[in-house]
Amino acid sequence: MLPTIRVAAVQAAPVFLDLAGTMAKLETLVAEAAGQGAELVVFGEAFVSGFPIWGSVLPPVDQHELHVRLFESSITVPGPQVEQLSRIADRYGVVLSVGVNERAAHSLGQLFNSNLIFDRTGALVNHRRKLVATWHERMTWSHGDACGLEPVPLDGWYLGALICGENTNTLARYALLAQGERLHISTYPPAWPFDRRADGAGYDLAESIRLRAAAHAFEGKVYNVVAATALDQEAVDAVARGDERSERLLCGSPPASMVVGPRGDIIAGPPALDEGIVLADVDLQDEIVLKRAHDIVGTYNRFDIFEFRIDKRRPAPITFADSEETST
């Protein structure tokens, strides 16, 4: 029940805000990774069909056109694109993890930053919505919930996934580990412009990814498969609109995809080019000896002192009470 797995972190740019084009590119990349023996193929945050990078460089009054395009290239769960992703996972016999823009079924004004995991047969085995949209993302995405905040067994993998800033949320990370997580997925955006000021601190996205990935891997004694979405020139042109300062901000701090070991060390990646597939073989048995020193969900904790509770219900926009319930 503690297998060795070949994992693939795909660092690639979607066809910007183009759903059909992105789905076609995704299948090509899955085929490439599977052809190299990958059993788990992971795509970055909001890969289908693009991350709202304009939120950090454009004022809200200039974002409407891009938001409509994002909405039009989003998907519903369930829906036809989910069925297409299911067929891709089944066709290539891989466990597939994909970041998507999810449209709420009941409202044209609600989008979620979601992650979907399919097993080798194409069954959707995990559907998560990002708990808290980060900074400017709140102009685009609603807060998610804890439904699906759990690892998927997958014949001993116990695969968990967190989206971007969730990997900085100590309780979210602990929640997965406390439910038996053995293999972790982290997904990230293609850019994170943070400060236009000349003396601003800026934001080193690749280093921030490395720190968070190493922290979770080391604390949990798990392997961490980190996939970031890449940024191509089409996306930069669509958002910067010829403004050199915005273009510099968008391109100034690229992300990094990697695989991190349970000692916090990078064992594969980042890719040599802006786009690439990071491959690694991970042996889940490695955590056994390492947890003798620190098992933060076992012997290195004090359950008599600390208590942790999760509400996994998915909130609904409306709840009905039938006549029998209200008449008593």
Side-chain angles (χ1 to χ4, degrees):
M1 296 298 291
L2 292 168
T4 296
I5 305 159
R6 174 157 286 194
V7 302
V10 180
Q11 182 167 303
V15 181
F16 188 60
L17 303 182
D18 180 335
L19 183 54
T22 296
M23 294 294 287
K25 182 172 182 177
L26 181 145
E27 180 165 5
T28 298
L29 291 165
V30 170
E32 182 181 347
Q36 298 179 70
E39 301 168 77
L40 169 66
V41 182
V42 180
F43 287 82
E45 182 178 15
F47 183 80
V48 179
S49 301
F51 184 88
I53 52 173
W54 51 86
S56 58
V57 295
L58 296 180
V61 294
D62 293 335
Q63 296 179 18
H64 301 312
E65 178 185 351
L66 288 163
H67 179 78
V68 170
R69 289 180 62 191
L70 181 75
F71 175 87
E72 291 172 343
S73 62
S74 64
I75 69 172
T76 56
V77 184
Q81 286 76 32
V82 174
E83 294 174 4
Q84 187 176 354
L85 291 167
S86 171
R87 290 192 295 270
I88 292 170
D90 179 48
R91 182 176 300 127
Y92 297 99
V94 298
V95 174
L96 176 62
S97 174
V98 185
V100 303
N101 288 292
E102 179 191 355
R103 187 187 326 143
H106 70 281
S107 171
L108 301 184
Q110 190 164 37
L111 292 169
F112 296 99
N113 179 349
S114 298
N115 194 82
L116 309 178
I117 299 177
F118 301 83
D119 70 12
R120 298 175 191 268
T121 70
L124 178 60
V125 292
N126 192 263
H127 169 205
R128 286 212 51 247
R129 292 170 174 169
K130 188 176 182 181
L131 293 169
V132 179
T134 308
W135 194 34
H136 67 79
E137 295 173 0
R138 296 175 196 180
M139 292 288 293
T140 300
W141 292 315
S142 296
H143 285 354
D145 49 63
C147 182
L149 185 62
E150 59 202 15
V152 185
L154 295 172
D155 297 324
W157 294 21
Y158 286 88
L159 177 67
L162 293 177
I163 304 166
C164 192
E166 292 182 323
N167 290 283
T168 317
N169 187 319
T170 305
L171 296 182
R173 297 194 296 108
Y174 179 84
L176 291 179
L177 295 169
Q179 294 175 87
E181 184 184 54
R182 293 175 181 164
L183 180 60
H184 185 73
I185 289 170
S186 306
T187 64
Y188 286 95
W192 195 254
F194 187 69
D195 198 334
R196 280 189 185 271
R197 296 174 302 175
D199 60 346
Y203 194 92
D204 188 332
L205 181 55
E207 178 62 7
S208 298
I209 289 172
R210 186 196 67 78
L211 285 169
R212 283 182 277 195
H216 187 72
F218 181 82
E219 289 177 11
K221 307 297 185 259
V222 297
Y223 282 94
N224 195 342
V225 184
V226 184
T229 304
L231 190 65
D232 63 9
Q233 194 60 46
E234 179 185 5
V236 173
D237 291 343
V239 174
R241 302 171 182 176
D243 181 70
E244 294 182 1
R245 191 179 182 192
S246 292
E247 185 166 346
R248 285 196 302 272
L249 281 168
L250 290 169
C251 300
S253 184
S257 298
M258 63 191 73
V259 179
V260 180
R263 294 173 175 82
D265 53 327
I266 298 175
I267 63 172
L273 303 175
D274 291 341
E275 298 194 53
I277 298 176
V278 177
L279 290 160
D281 295 318
V282 302
D283 184 354
L284 300 189
Q285 186 162 302
D286 288 346
E287 75 174 80
I288 295 175
V289 170
L290 294 174
K291 280 195 169 182
R292 293 188 70 192
H294 298 106
D295 182 1
I296 64 169
V297 294
T299 56
Y300 208 73
N301 210 322
R302 289 290 303 274
F303 304 121
D304 57 328
I305 298 174
F306 302 113
E307 185 177 339
F308 183 41
R309 176 182 176 273
I310 304 173
D311 183 352
K312 289 190 175 182
R313 291 173 295 181
R314 176 148 285 170
I318 187 169
T319 301
F320 295 98
D322 62 28
S323 57
E324 292 182 1
E325 292 175 330
T326 58
S327 63
T328 57

